[in-house]
Amino acid sequence: MRLKTALFISKYFPAFIFTLLIQVPVFAQVGGISTFEFVNLPVNTRMVGLGGVNVSSQQLDASMFSANPALLTDSIDQYLALNHYSYNAGVKNNQLNYARKLSAKGMWGIAIQQLSYGEFDSYDLTGLYQGTFNANDFSVGISHARMSGPFSIGGTVKFVQSTIETYQASGMLFTIGGAFIHPEQDLKVGLVLQNFGFAFSQYTDEQSFEMPFDAILGATFKPKMMPLRFSVTAHHLTEFLNIAYDDPNTKSEVDAFGEEIDNKISFADKLSRHFVFGGEFVFSKNLNLRLAYNFLQRRELQVEQRKGLAGFSYGLMIRLKRFELSYSRAVQHISGGTNIFSLAIDTKSLIKRRRVIE
């Protein structure tokens, strides 16, 4: 039965993906287009430490099924993960994940995300102060995944809501993920079609919606005799070679002969912006160091006069018996970066220990 299922997946799943991709509209830039863009933010230290985009690295991390529901496997049964991401200007992003095997037919997971933008001063058209208002985003998702041999297939249904003062928008988003998990080697390959769906309500009656859809492909591999786990991820595949921002305010440069220099973005530059490279230095099963490079963030957020470490991220993981503490930092600009802290708990071990003591 498992063999037949695996053959069915390998035969028809690529065709399904291709059919879906060709029906998705393509845009020239990736920012400021879609509603509910907050769902594409990295939600845990592993993702941030590995470049902000990853669909193939798990390693007992109960938060990763938010990126790829196919990573919801038996290894994280009854794991709880708490994540706190501190952005610039006091913006806070919090997420809770919990995974549980409720039957022999697969794993279930729940993810709750809350993003707070803080308080803003309100003024009327004449400039008269009207007090303050809040802005925040919220989502709750249910995920389910099943294994068939080395393949895992999962899906997520997510309710999303965004509020700005008295204006509110809500909708339902869906994600489909697949993963190949090698039975013997430390090798995972993930493919995700994320965040396609529909809106229940809009901020205003005149507004039209575009969902934050994306297709992501990634692989993670650790050679047996090397203390390094590699990850490479390709994102925005529905907008292939079309995500480079052509700044109309860029001043033209001239050479020594007064001729204008062609500043067109090269093919190699356009291609590289789709990739994120990350690595984990595995000192032991209880201590990992993470480092990554995001080409798109590097190119879009750097300052030409002083590029600094924009696009780089790094992190540290320490596991203490049933608890895992981790920290990551992403550098977006020469002025600084953002920090995220995560706590993962193996609740199954805690419950067993409590029963033994009793």
Side-chain angles (χ1 to χ4, degrees), residues 7 69 75 126 130 172 179 194 221 257 332 342:
L7 291 175
S75 62
T126 64
Q130 299 293 313
M172 191 71 72
Q194 67 178 20
F221 175 62
F257 300 98
Q332 284 95 11
S342 294

Side-chain angles (χ1 to χ4, degrees), residues 38 57 67 71 86-87 89 93 103 113 152 161 175 197 220 286 296 299 321 328-331 347:
F38 74 97
S57 180
L71 297 179
S86 176
Y87 289 99
N93 189 1
S103 66
Q113 182 181 8
S152 176
Q161 180 176 283
T175 294
T220 298
N286 298 321
L296 179 63
R299 296 296 297 166
K321 294 184 179 180
S328 290
R329 179 175 176 83
V331 183
T347 62

